[in-house]
Amino acid sequence: MCGIIGYVGSKQATPILLKGLKALEYRGYDSSGLTVQSDRLVTVRAVGEVSELVERVQHVRTQGTAGIAHTRWATHGIPSVENAHPHADCAGGISVVHNGIIENHIELREELIARGHVFASETDSEVIAHLIEERLSDCRPLFAAVRESLARVRGTYGLVVISKEIPQTLIAARMGSPLVIGVGDGEYFIASDPSAIIEQTKDVIFLDDGELAAVTSEGVSLMSLDAQEIQKETQQLDWDIETATKEGNPHFMLKEILEQPQVIENSCRGRIDLIEGRAVLGGLKEVEDRLREIDRVVIVGCGSAYYAGLVGEYLIEDLAGIPVEVELGSEYRYRKPIITERTVVLAISQSGETADTLEAIREAKRKNALTLGIINTVGSSIARETDAGVYCHAGPEIGVASTKAFVSQLAVLSLVGVYLGQLRGSLSDRNAGATLAALYELPDQVQEILNDRNLVTQTAKKYSSIENCLYLGRSFHAPIAYEGALKLKEVSYVHAEGYSSGEMKHGPIALIDQGFPSIVLCPEDSVFEKNCSNMQELRARRGPLIGITTKGAQIDHLVDARIDIPKTIECLQPILSTIPLQLFAYEMAIARKLNPDKPRNLAKSVTVE
Ligand code: AGP
C-alpha cells in the first residue's frame, strides 16, 4: 500500500505535496518522491521517511503549480532512490506515481526493453511510464495515451501521470487501489485517501475501478477505460484528519481487520494459476532445485508469527508431506539445533526486524541451511538475509496487534504448501486445484464474516467484564486458539490462555466454573465430535461457552453463544476462524474503554532480544 498526492492550481505545489505525503505516511514510509512541473519536470526522491524528502527538496528549485508525489511501501524492488516514485519514461517527458501491483510487469518490461526502452528501476510501476511514452510518441493525447496504456496492464493501480508537454494537467486512473479527487476553489487535489487533502477541502469525488480523470485547474473530466464519458457528483466529507487516516474507522486495528478480504487477494495476486492448477511463487524459483531435495522444514517466528508457523506445520505436512517443526525464535537460538544442508529454515515475520527471529536465521545460515522468509516488509533485515522468500503484500500494519499480517501469513503458507507439494510430486493435481480454488474464494468468505460482525460486538459487550478466558481448538485450530488468546490479552488486558482442546483434561479444566468462560473453535471438520465432547465437559462444570463454528453445525445445546463462519476446506478453515477472534478482541477493548491501537507495554516490532 503506498500514498499518492497530486495538486494543480495557482499555489506552489511543493509544500502542498509534502504536507499531503506526511498525512499519507501511514500507508508506506520506506521511500518517497515528488515531481513538480514548471517549464520542465523536476523530480526529487529520497529513501526513508518523508522527512528525508523534505530535507532534500530544500536544495532543489521546485517552482511550479502542478505536481505529483508518492510515499512508498515496497512490493517489487527494495527501498532505494532508484525504486522510489515518481518514475519517468526514457525521455523524461512524463512522470508517474503508482499504488498497486502490476501482475504482468515482467512480460511488459521485456517487451519494452526489446523495443529499446531503458529501465532505471526494479519496480513493476515503471512499465507504466514507458507504455505511456510509446502512446505519446504515436501522437496520442495524454488522456488517451494513459487509457490505452492501461489496457495492456493486468493487476491493480491507483496512479497519477504528469507530462512536461501538457501544462497544469494531471491524469488519474483507478483499478483496485483507492483514489479521491479533492475539489477546491480554482485548485484540485488527487490522493490515495482523504487524509492527505481534508485540510484543504472536504468536497471530493471518489474514483471507482475502471475510471480515469483529467484534472486541470479549470475542472475535472471523467472517462471509463472503454472511453465512455462519466458524470459524478461531488460529495462532502464530515471526517476530521484523524478519522480520514483510518479511512473512516475509529482505529487502525479495525481498519486492518476490515481490509483483510483485499489483503488475502493481494497476498495471492499472481500466485494462483487456476487454469494450470498451480501455485506460482516467483520468489522461490531460484532455490527450486534445493527445495526438491530438502527433508525437513523448521519454521521460526515470535508471537503471532509463531502461531502462524504452527498452522504452517499442519499445512505443509498435509499438502507437501515434509516433516515440519516450529520453533520460537527466542528459544531456537539457545539450542544446539540439528541442521543439515537438506534443512530449510523458514522465518515468518511481519516487520522482518524481530531480533530473535533474525538471530535464528543467522544461526541457520551459519549451519548452511537454506533460509526462506515469509515477510511483509520488503527490504527488511530478515528479507535481505534469507536466501529467498515470499512477500505477504499485506501493506503496512499500523495497529500493534497483528491482524491482517497474520491472515496474510496463513494465505502465503497455504500457497507454499501447495507449491512444495507440486514441486516434489507429493500433491495430486486434484488436491492442488481444490486447495487453490478454495483459497481464491476466501476473500468473499471473509467479507461475509465482516458483514455479519454485529453478533461479535454484542457477544463482546455481554462478556466485557470477564477477567479470564480459555480458548480451545484442535488440529489446525489449536494455533488459532493460541492466537485468539494472544489478541484478547494484548488489546483488552483480559487474562486468556490458548490450549489444544485435547489438553483440557490434563489440567486447565480445573479452572472452569461459572465465572470462567471458554471460546471453543469447533467448525464441522474431522475433529468436530471430539470438540463437542470437550464442550460437554465444560458445560458439566457450568463454564460459560462461546462456539466459533460453521453454519448449520448442531451445537446450540452446548453453547451460550455461537458465532457462525462459512465452511471451506479443512486446511484453510483456520483463516476464517481467526476473523471473529480478532473482532472479539477488538470489541472487548472498546467495551473496556481501551485504545486497541496502542496497548500498554507493547511495541509494534520487537527489535531487541
Ligand atoms: C502480535 O499481535 C504481536 N504484536 C506480536 O506477537 C508480533 O506478532 C511478534 O512480535 C512478531 O512480530 P513480527 O511478525 O514483526 O516478527
Side-chain angles (χ1 to χ4, degrees), residues 302-305 348-352 354 400-402 409 486-487 490 606:
C302 299
S304 291
I348 300 176
S349 176
Q350 187 287 126
S351 63
T354 297
V400 167
S402 182
Q409 288 160 2
L486 175 62
K487 288 283 105 36
E490 278 191 289
V606 183

Side-chain angles (χ1 to χ4, degrees), residues 2-296:
C2 305
I4 287 174
I5 173 93
Y7 173 77
V8 60
S10 56
K11 301 185 185 99
Q12 283 304 308
T14 300
I16 294 170
L17 297 175
L18 292 174
K19 186 178 174 67
L21 287 186
K22 286 303 284 176
L24 291 170
E25 209 160 13
Y26 79 92
R27 299 177 66 88
Y29 37 75
D30 58 42
S31 53
S32 62
L34 58 78
T35 293
V36 175
Q37 179 192 61
S38 49
D39 55 344
R40 57 198 175 88
L41 296 182
V42 177
T43 294
V44 184
R45 298 182 292 181
V47 177
E49 297 182 354
V50 172
S51 53
E52 297 297 325
L53 180 65
V54 172
E55 168 53 33
R56 276 203 178 193
V57 161
Q58 308 304 320
H59 310 291
V60 180
R61 188 173 181 280
T62 58
Q63 296 299 311
T65 57
I68 59 176
H70 181 279
T71 183
R72 186 171 183 239
W73 178 265
T75 56
H76 295 75
I78 61 168
S80 66
V81 171
E82 296 73 25
N83 290 334
H85 300 217
H87 289 292
D89 60 332
C90 302
I94 53 170
S95 200
V96 182
V97 289
H98 166 240
N99 175 28
I101 295 173
I102 308 293
E103 284 176 34
N104 59 332
H105 71 98
I106 292 174
E107 63 189 78
L108 290 173
R109 175 186 282 252
E110 287 166 357
E111 206 186 285
L112 288 159
I113 289 172
R115 290 201 290 269
H117 288 263
V118 177
F119 279 73
S121 81
E122 306 161 303
T123 67
D124 55 334
S125 310
E126 189 183 346
V127 298
I128 300 170
H130 295 281
L131 287 171
I132 297 169
E133 178 180 31
E134 287 196 334
R135 306 305 306 140
L136 289 176
S137 61
D138 288 348
C139 302
R140 298 295 290 152
L142 182 59
F143 206 173
V146 174
R147 182 172 51 75
E148 291 160 11
S149 300
L150 293 175
R152 299 289 323 281
V153 162
R154 210 172 52 245
T156 58
Y157 50 80
L159 62 87
V160 187
V161 182
I162 192 167
S163 162
K164 183 174 66 171
E165 306 306 330
I166 322 289
Q168 294 293 105
T169 300
L170 305 180
I171 305 294
R174 175 193 160 146
M175 181 64 77
S177 295
L179 274 185
V180 61
I181 298 170
V183 181
D185 181 7
E187 58 183 9
Y188 291 83
F189 309 81
I190 303 170
S192 299
D193 67 54
S195 63
I197 57 176
I198 202 158
E199 291 191 343
Q200 277 82 19
T201 176
K202 296 199 173 186
D203 296 331
V204 297
I205 299 169
F206 284 99
L207 281 190
D208 289 312
D209 283 353
E211 294 181 347
L212 296 91
V215 182
T216 71
S217 30
E218 272 71 56
V220 179
S221 52
L222 299 169
M223 189 185 296
S224 65
L225 265 179
D226 55 4
Q228 302 304 311
E229 277 206 28
I230 300 170
Q231 298 298 328
K232 298 194 93 158
E233 293 298 313
T234 300
Q235 303 176 42
Q236 190 160 70
L237 290 174
D238 59 359
W239 293 348
D240 59 22
I241 181 144
E242 173 79 6
T243 307
T245 306
K246 303 175 188 102
E247 292 175 4
N249 294 296
H251 298 98
F252 278 113
M253 184 176 175
L254 182 59
K255 171 185 172 287
E256 289 156 1
I257 290 172
L258 298 180
E259 65 189 15
Q260 290 181 121
Q262 178 75 51
V263 165
I264 296 170
E265 276 183 15
N266 288 341
S267 298
C268 298
R269 191 177 301 287
R271 296 168 168 171
I272 294 178
D273 180 342
L274 286 180
I275 296 166
E276 298 295 325
R278 304 197 68 77
V280 181
L281 296 177
L284 299 182
K285 193 144 188 59
E286 59 188 280
V287 295
E288 236 176 33
D289 294 340
R290 282 194 70 178
L291 286 173
R292 280 195 185 87
E293 303 310 320
I294 60 168
D295 59 9
R296 187 161 63 101

